[in-house]
Amino acid sequence: MKTNQIYIILASFILGISFIIGCSFINGDKETKVDQEQTPSITTADKLLMDIKETALYLNLTEAQVMNIITTEHNSLKLGSFPGTPFPYINVDNKYLFNKDLLSKWVAEASLNRRVYLNGQTK
């Protein structure tokens, strides 16, 4: 009788662990789907303007890096002038919007000049 009880306890333990692991896989899939829904897509072909999240994705940068570029160029302009084409954006009600075509031209020009943005300065 004791061996039967041990087998029942062992089987219950294995079943319980399997249930917990299965639930964690199911829950993990839901979290991944939620994350994918919140991530903006890069399908901006129909849009004239992109927001900062879409722009960061398009440029393969973080939003903080995009804001760093904007702030750095703005500060350079305050001090005098900025060499080259400035980062193209408009600001509507404190929301930055970016034109995809102008961004592509900016990237080409900044790349050709090997522009460096470091610690709030351009080099």
Side-chain angles (χ1 to χ4, degrees):
M1 282 298 239
K2 285 192 171 187
T3 55
N4 285 342
Q5 289 176 341
I6 292 174
Y7 287 134
I8 290 173
I9 291 172
L10 185 60
S12 298
F13 179 74
I14 291 171
L15 183 63
I17 294 296
S18 300
F19 183 73
I20 291 170
I21 290 172
C23 288
S24 68
F25 281 125
I26 291 171
N27 191 30
D29 287 346
K30 287 182 182 178
E31 289 176 4
T32 302
K33 288 178 184 176
V34 169
D35 290 343
Q36 289 172 351
E37 291 171 3
Q38 292 176 350
T39 303
S41 65
I42 301 182
T43 56
T44 57
D46 300 346
K47 296 170 123 183
L48 184 59
L49 297 172
M50 298 183 294
D51 64 19
I52 193 161
K53 287 181 183 181
E54 293 166 325
T55 300
L57 281 171
Y58 178 69
L59 296 175
N60 197 27
L61 299 172
T62 65
E63 290 178 46
Q65 289 171 318
V66 172
M67 288 307 302
N68 180 46
I69 292 169
I70 292 170
T71 304
T72 298
E73 290 185 1
H74 180 74
N75 291 338
S76 292
L77 285 169
K78 275 183 173 178
L79 297 174
S81 66
F82 178 77
T85 304
F87 195 76
Y89 70 91
I90 59 174
N91 190 323
V92 179
D93 294 329
N94 291 322
K95 181 178 179 179
Y96 289 94
L97 300 169
F98 307 87
N99 180 292
K100 182 179 177 181
D101 295 332
L102 293 177
L103 281 171
S104 295
K105 291 177 184 176
W106 175 85
V107 167
E109 193 262 333
S111 298
L112 283 173
N113 293 318
R114 298 179 187 194
R115 197 173 297 155
V116 176
Y117 293 87
L118 184 63
N119 299 325
Q121 296 179 344
T122 58
K123 299 178 180 186

